[in-house]
Amino acid sequence: MPKQKLVIKVTAGADAPERCSQAFTVAAVAVASGVEVSLWLTGESSWFALPGRAAEFELPHAAPLPDLIESVQAGGRITLCTQCATRREITEQDVLEGVRIAGAQVFVQEVMADGVQALVY
């Protein structure tokens, strides 16, 4: 049986902290459970592709965002949306090590593959 894959697109950042935290938490738990995870940062969550930005995020009774990102990176992939990065003047030289920048075509390829579950937060 092929390994299950979960593609999570998070559109929320500090503007909607609970939704944002839920996306990162689900991604980290899925990785810890052995699920192949692809986490896409779009919209306001794009800022968390930058070093130090996750440490500024605060939500009571939630796991620290830097820890969740580290967990996802340990066994999954984090992608920053190309257009979102461009709008924020974020380049590949700016992002955390291991974060790729890719566009809608790559996202569609990922979510249309067999055995993939996609979630959007």
Side-chain angles (χ1 to χ4, degrees), residues 34-57:
V35 175
E36 185 182 338
V37 173
S38 177
L39 178 65
W40 283 72
L41 306 180
T42 69
E44 285 303 296
S45 73
S46 300
W47 295 113
F48 299 127
L50 296 174
R53 291 302 280 269
E56 299 171 7
F57 180 86

Side-chain angles (χ1 to χ4, degrees), residues 10-13 24 40-50 53 79-81 83-85 88 90 95 99:
V10 55
T11 63
F24 283 93
W40 283 72
L41 306 180
T42 69
E44 285 303 296
S45 73
S46 300
W47 295 113
F48 299 127
L50 296 174
R53 291 302 280 269
T79 304
L80 171 59
C81 160
Q83 288 184 11
C84 301
R88 289 161 181 79
I90 299 171
V95 298
V99 172

Side-chain angles (χ1 to χ4, degrees), residues 1-65:
M1 182 173 147
K3 190 173 183 181
Q4 290 182 296
K5 184 171 182 180
L6 182 60
V7 177
I8 299 172
K9 178 185 275 196
V10 55
T11 63
D15 58 326
E18 287 183 303
R19 195 160 30 110
C20 176
S21 180
Q22 288 169 1
F24 283 93
T25 300
V26 168
V29 168
V31 167
S33 302
V35 175
E36 185 182 338
V37 173
S38 177
L39 178 65
W40 283 72
L41 306 180
T42 69
E44 285 303 296
S45 73
S46 300
W47 295 113
F48 299 127
L50 296 174
R53 291 302 280 269
E56 299 171 7
F57 180 86
E58 291 186 14
L59 181 64
H61 310 292
L65 207 53

